[in-house]
Amino acid sequence: MNCSEIILKPIGIIHTPFKSIDDHVPIQGALSPDTEGKVVVFPEYAGGLKDLDGFSHIFLIYYFHKSKAVKLRARPYMEQTVRGMFSIRSPHRPNHIGLTVVQLLSVDNNMLQVKGLDMIDNTPLIDIKPYNPYFDAPSNVRIGWMESHFDDEKRKKNITVKSEKEWLHE
Amino acid sequence: MNCSEIILKPIGIIHTPFKSIDDHVPIQGALSPDTEGKVVVFPEYAGGLKDLDGFSHIFLIYYFHKSKAVKLRARPYMEQTVRGMFSIRSPHRPNHIGLTVVQLLSVDNNMLQVKGLDMIDNTPLIDIKPYNPYFDAPSNVRIGWMESHFDDEKRKKNITVKSEKEWLHE
């Protein structure tokens, strides 16, 4: 391997209504589709936003800057059972990288208006990628321990958006 | 913001059939669904793989270790028109982070057998996340400049898997 350490520089900041971890941050953007916010890309990268406005959805890759912990086993947000870190979407990951698909409402110079956010205000942005279901939405999917929470009949009543507070404080 | 620099450590290595950029690396894993390979997670993180085997698909987040360039405008792989970096999936991104959904075939201790790979052998792994279509597969999607390449009638014949060589050498 060529690198034992990878150094990233934030390319922007994600602004959301969640000013702190006490602020009822959603588990996932898709479960809070109306949460609107703004992505400010640093001006030196604005040229890279050309053509993005044709896409209705984008991946935001970002840094969980509020999490300092690494927990290889943790209780996921939807249940009490302790699970392996790589089977859940907790911020307490070895590299603290977050991934959310959001709806792109508009692009104005270096500012994106987006919907479906699930991160804390001022989260450092690492990358933006266009979402394309031909690349990113496989079929015949099994979702392991999450299955029971998304049973077609149950899922609407079972998935509630609570605070991430307890989780982050754990 | 709390961090002007983010330091990551690889958590494993992705082994693929593509030994170099001359080796016909696919554009996207979904376009080369039968490309099989192995993800070796470093033993110290193996505990985090618990429960992952219930998922049929996972996100691999990795480092484009062969790309040193940053190109805010570039020709995407599917056409000749120069596009904004954040509207394409090129490796020459400010933070050189890659994202691919792969099919998970098996988990054996710290080794994952996967299908649908599109990166070069020995790519450093940064994170693994479980894929859940309720989080990660929005509906009513528009895909901007990519639309014409995925027209339902055309897409099977238009999308061919070529070498990434020219692109990486650009």
Side-chain angles (χ1 to χ4, degrees), chain B:
Chain B
M1 208 177 59
N2 297 332
C3 46
S4 58
E5 220 172 56
I6 296 164
I7 297 176
L8 308 183
K9 276 180 66 178
I11 61 159
I13 301 289
I14 308 173
H15 294 286
T16 79
F18 315 112
K19 300 305 169 197
S20 81
I21 56 173
D22 301 333
D23 237 2
H24 299 275
V25 185
I27 309 173
Q28 273 286 323
L31 306 178
S32 179
D34 293 329
T35 303
E36 214 170 308
K38 202 167 62 182
V39 178
V40 179
V41 174
F42 296 143
E44 60 266 40
Y45 303 111
L49 295 171
K50 184 173 170 288
D51 303 305
L52 195 65
D53 58 355
F55 291 82
S56 60
H57 292 79
I58 55 177
F59 285 110
L60 299 180
I61 299 179
Y62 52 94
Y63 188 59
F64 287 121
H65 64 308
K66 292 290 186 190
S67 168
K68 306 296 170 213
V70 177
K71 295 176 190 288
L72 291 183
R73 301 276 170 96
R75 186 177 61 76
Y77 211 53
M78 291 179 276
E79 59 176 56
Q80 295 300 320
T81 315
V82 168
R83 303 290 184 184
M85 162 58 52
F86 299 117
S87 81
I88 69 178
R89 301 283 279 254
S90 152
H92 304 317
R93 329 180 66 76
N95 283 312
H96 302 98
I97 297 292
L99 174 70
T100 304
V101 183
V102 298
Q103 188 186 351
L104 179 61
L105 300 175
S106 66
V107 181
D108 182 12
N109 291 315
N110 65 325
M111 306 240 289
L112 315 181
Q113 201 70 27
V114 298
K115 245 176 150 175
L117 291 165
D118 59 4
M119 62 293 280
I120 287 168
D121 192 32
N122 289 319
T123 290
L125 178 68
I126 292 172
D127 202 356
I128 296 171
K129 292 180 194 287
Y131 173 82
N132 181 338
Y134 295 108
F135 299 160
D136 304 310
S139 45
N140 300 319
V141 169
R142 280 179 299 109
I143 55 171
W145 69 264
M146 293 184 190
E147 205 82 50
S148 65
H149 301 277
F150 290 91
D151 176 283
D152 273 347
E153 280 169 43
K154 283 190 249 163
R155 69 188 175 95
K156 284 212 169 67
K157 60 176 185 276
N158 272 11
I159 304 298
T160 56
V161 174
K162 299 175 226 165
S163 168
E164 274 192 354
K165 186 180 175 181
E166 188 195 351
W167 202 21
L168 284 161
H169 284 171
E170 249 177 18

Side-chain angles (χ1 to χ4, degrees), chain A residues 50-119:
Chain A
K50 185 175 169 287
D51 303 305
L52 195 65
D53 58 356
F55 291 81
S56 61
H57 292 79
I58 55 177
F59 285 110
L60 299 180
I61 298 179
Y62 51 93
Y63 188 59
F64 287 122
H65 64 307
K66 292 289 187 192
S67 168
K68 306 296 169 213
V70 176
K71 295 175 190 291
L72 291 182
R73 301 275 169 98
R75 186 177 61 74
Y77 211 52
M78 291 178 277
E79 60 178 55
Q80 295 301 320
T81 315
V82 168
R83 304 289 183 183
M85 163 58 53
F86 298 117
S87 82
I88 68 177
R89 301 282 279 253
S90 151
H92 304 315
R93 330 179 67 76
N95 282 313
H96 302 99
I97 299 291
L99 175 70
T100 303
V101 183
V102 298
Q103 188 187 351
L104 179 60
L105 300 175
S106 66
V107 180
D108 182 13
N109 290 313
N110 66 325
M111 307 241 289
L112 315 181
Q113 202 70 26
V114 298
K115 245 174 148 175
L117 292 164
D118 58 5
M119 62 294 280

Side-chain angles (χ1 to χ4, degrees), chain A residues 14-27:
Chain A
I14 308 173
H15 294 285
T16 80
F18 315 113
K19 300 305 170 197
S20 81
I21 55 174
D22 302 333
D23 235 1
H24 298 275
V25 184
I27 309 172

